[in-house]
Amino acid sequence: MQTKTSSFNPVQYLDTQTAGTPIVILTGMGCSYHEWYEIVQTLQTTNRVLSFHRHSWREGDGVHRTSHAVQQLKTLLTHCNVDEPILLVGHSYGGLIAQEFAIRHPDQLKGLLLVDSTSVDLHELDTLDTPVLDTLSSDATWIEQCRHYATQRKDQLRHLVQPVLTPAQQQLPQTIQSALLDFQTEPALYAMMATEVTHWKMDARRIKRNTFPDVPLIIIGRDQRQAIAEGLQDGLPETEVRQLEERWHQLILRQANLTKTATIRFAEGAGHAVHLDRPELVIAAIRQLDQTPVKDVSQ
């Protein structure tokens, strides 16, 4: 799996350049496509796989929104000479971007997979009575922290963030391990995240106002019980964790109403990082979509 730097913009992107229906992975906020290494290794035997790091794309005004990412993807597809319908995979915030891409360019989709995706009704999480969680991870807290990190050097970020690998990631090739660790010490990553969080609720409301196209759609959500258990292990208040996970579960269920034929499943034993906890489910869903005939959504 190679990271490329292109002259059309100093963009870090992945392109396996293998045969088969192109699969594009839109990663979650603050996440690297290197996290998807094992999934990419499997899929590239039957498909071409692409992804990119949004923060490596230098936006002229320094603002990163879902609409910017949609245009970045369009530009990348053109640069890589991808002119056939793609299978689009969106995890977390990447799922919000994927929903906007589907609305704006339905003719370019063969299928859409949302993996524990951010909801267009994201604002509902703000209505919960979760004072401890709000203190730890409110939008304002995120933005302040990300803006501070964005002013630091890489060596300073290494000290502040103290990036670590999971036991499974420690078994990956050394180049991938190094890339995962280095990714978390890039100031531009945090500058981007600050603007994404600043605008994500506005973007979500704007996306919701549009009619969603009738594209083949699969939704995978996290295991509610597993997510609650992880929250409790982190020392968070049980009542607040249960509130959050119940509402998140409802928001994921609601995504099944985006199309008449959408299918939804929940990844038993998986937290938010479904692609790491249950990669085989993600691979199976992508391959199911790849077997679906291309729909004419131009009408």
Side-chain angles (χ1 to χ4, degrees), residues 249-265:
H249 189 75
Q250 292 173 7
L251 294 178
I252 295 295
L253 285 171
R254 203 177 299 168
Q255 290 172 359
N257 297 324
L258 287 171
T259 73
K260 296 179 180 179
T261 59
T263 59
I264 186 168
R265 58 201 63 161

Side-chain angles (χ1 to χ4, degrees), residues 102 106 109-110 211-217 258-262 295-297:
L109 284 188
K110 182 176 183 180
T211 301
F212 202 83
D214 185 24
V215 297
L217 171 63
L258 287 171
T259 73
K260 296 179 180 179
T261 59
K295 278 190 165 188
D296 182 2
V297 293

Side-chain angles (χ1 to χ4, degrees), residues 6 39 54 59 72 76 85 98 103-104 124 157 168 175 182-183 188 196 204 249 267 275 284:
S6 168
I39 290 178
R54 296 186 298 276
E59 291 296 338
Q72 290 166 0
L76 181 65
I103 290 167
R104 292 174 58 178
E124 291 187 16
L157 283 174
T175 54
D182 188 65
F183 178 83
E196 286 181 337
H249 189 75
H275 59 295

